[in-house]
Amino acid sequence: MSLATLVQSLADNKQLLGLRYAEWCTAAPTLEADIAGAAMGLDDLGHSRVLHGSLRELGEADAERDPTSPEHYLNVAYLDQPWSNWNQFVAANAVLDTAFTLMIEALANGKVEVLRSRLRKMLQEEHYHYLHGRSWLRQGGGNPEVGRAFEEAVEWFGPEGGEVDQFHKAGQLTAGVADLRSSLGERVAIAAPPVPADWARWDPRRRRTRPGGIDARTFEMLRGLEEKRYMPAGGERKDS
Amino acid sequence: MASFSRVHQQVRQYEVFARKAREEPLRQVGSVVAPDDDLAQAYARATYDEERWVELVIVPSEAVIRLWAPGEDGSGSG
């Protein structure tokens, strides 16, 4: 795996996280949370664009990428399906968004110039995602979705001694797997879950153990096929 | 009539102040309601970030000490 594939995975996750936030922007428990959901969704879609845009400078992107298959998206399984309850939103916001931010920090402080210069602004915006997630996590008594979000974040960081640790040794990342795991635990004030023993099932390209992929409706929307359904008959654009 | 259920047990109101240039004074641009400082910051940024402020601050409304209000003369005599 190359550093470009890791950035591709970050970009794909950010795009889906932005979409999932946006799906909740009229369904959150308060109007303020609706607005914050919309703002965070816009942020993450913007971050995804910047990350995708950095891939060219990083060298070859994922050669195995097949744009016609939902499995070509390098996203965590947590983002495969729309969320059916607010706890899922909060756990993603507090844990997964923070995990992606930790990786962005490690890249932005690393020695790859294109990432050093382009990723800085994301960290300013992500600070407010963190405050939002952390506060909602404190509301009420316990969030049953946090365990799964944390587990998937740890899987996404990857196994110790793997490529992330190699990028760390090479100075492309300023944190290794152990640092990323402990920082995530500290930021969300939760003890790290047991590390999955079965790395044999882990897909190094998609950085996850669970099979499956994005739901069909979301995938069609991402490819622009969903929008075409609403195009008036004969509305195909004709270039003269 | 719509009925509303309370989402947070306790909330505070925060006044939002901003300015567009260093030489301008801060002015009040609105308020947000949130259960704690973290969420108040996230809400203030999401709601009021459309303009290019050089500074954006929030203050718990209860921390504001009002000397007089509209309709009062401020002399302390009436």
Side-chain angles (χ1 to χ4, degrees), chain B residues 47-65:
Chain B
T47 311
Y48 295 99
D49 192 35
E50 288 304 310
E51 295 178 75
R52 295 177 70 88
W53 309 113
V54 295
E55 188 172 3
L56 184 71
V57 303
I58 60 171
V59 179
S61 303
E62 69 211 24
V64 174
I65 301 172

Side-chain angles (χ1 to χ4, degrees), chain B residues 66-74:
Chain B
R66 196 177 304 279
L67 274 69
W68 61 85
E72 297 171 7
D73 67 8

Side-chain angles (χ1 to χ4, degrees), chain A residues 98-173:
Chain A
T98 302
F100 301 141
T101 300
L102 286 166
M103 191 65 85
I104 291 171
E105 270 177 31
L107 289 165
N109 295 323
K111 68 178 190 188
V112 181
E113 194 49 45
V114 62
L115 301 174
R116 289 181 65 84
S117 59
R118 291 194 194 168
L119 271 49
R120 196 81 39 196
K121 181 167 175 274
M122 291 181 198
L123 297 175
Q124 292 165 11
E125 294 176 345
E126 284 296 333
H127 176 61
Y128 297 98
H129 297 210
Y130 169 63
L131 294 176
H132 187 271
R134 185 173 72 170
S135 177
W136 273 104
L137 202 56
R138 281 198 294 252
Q139 314 293 320
N143 180 328
E145 308 294 340
V146 163
R148 183 182 166 196
F150 209 135
E151 200 180 296
E152 292 204 20
V154 168
E155 280 186 16
W156 188 74
F157 289 148
E160 282 188 85
E163 52 168 4
V164 163
D165 281 345
Q166 286 165 20
F167 297 146
H168 180 213
K169 269 191 204 132
Q172 292 158 312
L173 290 172

